[in-house]
């Protein structure tokens, strides 16, 4: 469970930088997509179909945060700073 906190912290940190660079709409779209795919569909599959219970839900949460960290990091490397004067 403690390992989930590391991926969550990295996601929050990197997404804050992406948000500060003016990419809020992209961030909302990606987070909504990942919540639907991972936490809803894959979470249901691991808990109900595979019968993994809480461990399955925690595993899906870890995957969700890890993939969001990777996607946000990739976006951060490709993005530029938007300046509003």
């Amino acid at each position: 469970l403690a390992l989930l906190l590391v991926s969550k912290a990295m996601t929050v940190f990197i997404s804050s930088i992406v948000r500060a660079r003016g990419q809020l709409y992209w961030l909302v779209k990606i987070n909504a997509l990942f919540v639907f795919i991972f936490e809803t569909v894959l979470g249901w599959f691991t808990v109900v179909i595979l019968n993994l219970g809480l461990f399955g839900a925690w595993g899906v949460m870890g995957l969700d945060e890890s993939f969001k960290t990777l996607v946000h990091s990739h976006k951060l490397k490709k993005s530029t700073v938007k300046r509003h004067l």
Side-chain angles (χ1 to χ4, degrees), residues 28-84:
V28 169
K29 287 192 310 187
I30 292 298
N31 284 337
L33 179 69
F34 274 78
V35 164
F36 177 74
I37 290 173
F38 282 100
E39 295 183 14
T40 305
V41 176
L42 198 57
W44 175 82
F45 182 76
T46 58
V47 172
V48 176
I49 302 298
L50 296 180
N51 201 21
L52 293 175
L54 193 55
F55 292 111
W58 284 342
V60 168
M61 285 173 48
L63 283 174
D64 176 48
E65 295 300 330
S66 298
F67 278 111
K68 279 196 275 190
T69 299
L70 291 174
V71 171
H72 294 334
S73 298
H74 180 70
K75 180 67 173 180
L76 184 61
K77 289 178 185 177
K78 290 177 53 176
S79 70
T80 59
V81 176
K82 290 184 178 180
R83 296 182 186 253
H84 301 285

Side-chain angles (χ1 to χ4, degrees), residues 6-30:
V6 173
S7 62
K8 179 69 174 174
M10 289 300 296
T11 302
V12 169
F13 179 72
I14 293 173
S15 65
S16 297
I17 297 171
V18 172
R19 186 180 313 118
R21 288 189 173 197
Q23 302 290 330
L24 183 61
Y25 183 67
W26 180 86
L27 199 63
V28 169
K29 287 192 310 187
I30 292 298

